[in-house]
Amino acid sequence: MTSTTEIEKHSGPALEGIGSDLAADLPIGRGRVRTVRPENLGRRRRALTLKRVGDVVGATIGLVISAPLMIMIALLVKLDSPGPALFAQRRVGLGGGPFRCLKFRTMRADAELHLKRDPVLYDEFLANGHKLPVHEDPRVTPLGRVLRRTSLDELPQLLNVLAGQMSLVGPRPLSRDEIAYFGSQADRLLSVRPGMTGLWAVSGRSDVGYPKRARLELAYVGRWSLRHDVCILAKTVLVVVTGAGAR
């Protein structure tokens, strides 16, 4: 019989995101409990540490390189429409805690109020997985369409990465309402930091709605590894250049 000192039961989000190379299913009574092989716990901790170091280094380099571009975009946003250059979206982060996800503002300043004032538009927004096609969304500014198509609106999220609220790679940050799409797997999703890019982001982005999006995000959590992150980062470059799935 396996003692509790030999194996750690998967009873919460702390052990989520563990790939099959680090975990195994242990028969318990009539069911099975996902467990972590003790010899791999140290390897996982080292990998997570390296991931965080990579996030800090990558975000720092990214901010230094993109600073002139970000300043120019901020000025253009201010000139394009009234309101602040940055927009802080309330999103759910690691462990379910809220944080402010930064983006360059791509909509009119009263976008959320405008959406809720229009019942038809709001119903379409909900039916489309909390999104609207850019070409049909009256809230999006002319410059905002360009920023979204090129993903430049997400550059400020490098600050979220540096602050430890996000990672370069992970499930995309979601609103509290969107977490409902994950049902009983919500804790699993929230066991990792949300990312600037991720498996869903390189698999069609806005062209892929729920429930397929939920399956992709959870697949990332289950298969997570540093090598997988590097592959996603490489694919992200191609996706951004081609504009695939951008809305």
Side-chain angles (χ1 to χ4, degrees):
M1 181 175 179
T2 305
S3 69
T4 56
T5 60
E6 295 174 307
I7 202 154
E8 187 172 351
K9 291 184 179 179
H10 176 189
S11 58
L15 299 183
E16 293 288 0
I18 298 176
S20 58
D21 60 328
L22 297 181
D25 289 330
L26 178 72
I28 302 291
R30 296 182 179 179
R32 301 179 74 83
V33 175
R34 169 137 292 204
T35 63
V36 179
R37 301 186 184 104
E39 66 272 17
N40 288 323
L41 287 175
R43 180 153 62 99
R44 172 171 168 76
R45 291 192 187 100
R46 288 192 295 273
L48 288 172
T49 299
L50 285 174
K51 179 177 173 69
R52 180 59 190 149
V53 170
D55 284 342
V56 172
V57 172
T60 301
I61 293 173
L63 284 169
V64 171
I65 293 174
S66 64
L69 177 61
M70 291 176 68
I71 292 171
M72 184 178 70
I73 292 174
L75 292 173
L76 290 174
V77 170
K78 293 286 290 182
L79 291 171
D80 184 56
S81 63
L86 292 179
F87 176 63
Q89 296 175 307
R90 189 176 178 85
R91 290 293 182 258
V92 183
L94 180 66
F99 76 100
R100 295 290 181 178
C101 182
L102 301 176
K103 299 180 73 172
F104 283 117
R105 182 173 57 82
T106 59
M107 295 184 176
R108 49 192 286 178
D110 63 343
E112 294 192 22
L113 182 61
H114 179 78
L115 177 67
K116 292 180 179 179
R117 276 199 308 241
D118 188 331
V120 175
L121 192 66
Y122 189 62
D123 287 345
E124 185 181 353
F125 172 78
L126 294 178
N128 199 42
H130 291 80
K131 289 184 181 295
L132 288 170
V134 171
H135 63 280
E136 296 179 10
D137 195 336
R139 303 170 299 160
V140 180
T141 65
L143 177 62
R145 289 184 171 85
V146 176
L147 294 177
R148 287 189 174 196
R149 189 166 59 248
T150 57
S151 298
L152 290 174
D153 60 318
E154 296 178 0
L155 281 176
Q157 290 169 23
L158 289 168
L159 294 170
N160 291 118
V161 174
L162 207 57
Q165 299 163 329
M166 291 179 63
S167 176
L168 292 177
V169 182
R172 288 295 289 151
L174 302 175
S175 66
R176 185 69 64 182
D177 289 341
E178 288 178 285
I179 297 297
Y181 287 108
F182 292 80
S184 62
Q185 298 295 308
D187 283 349
R188 185 181 180 195
L189 174 78
L190 299 174
S191 67
V192 298
R193 287 184 178 90
M196 288 186 68
T197 185
L199 184 58
W200 169 76
V202 299
S203 302
R205 289 198 283 183
S206 296
D207 290 337
V208 179
Y210 293 104
K212 185 177 180 180
R213 176 177 179 175
R215 292 196 295 269
L216 285 169
E217 300 287 33
L218 291 171
Y220 168 82
V221 176
R223 294 170 52 195
W224 177 79
S225 70
L226 290 175
R227 184 174 62 181
H228 194 204
D229 277 6
V230 171
C231 290
I232 289 175
L233 284 171
K235 290 179 181 178
T236 298
V237 175
L238 180 62
V239 168
V240 170
V241 169
T242 61
R247 292 187 191 176

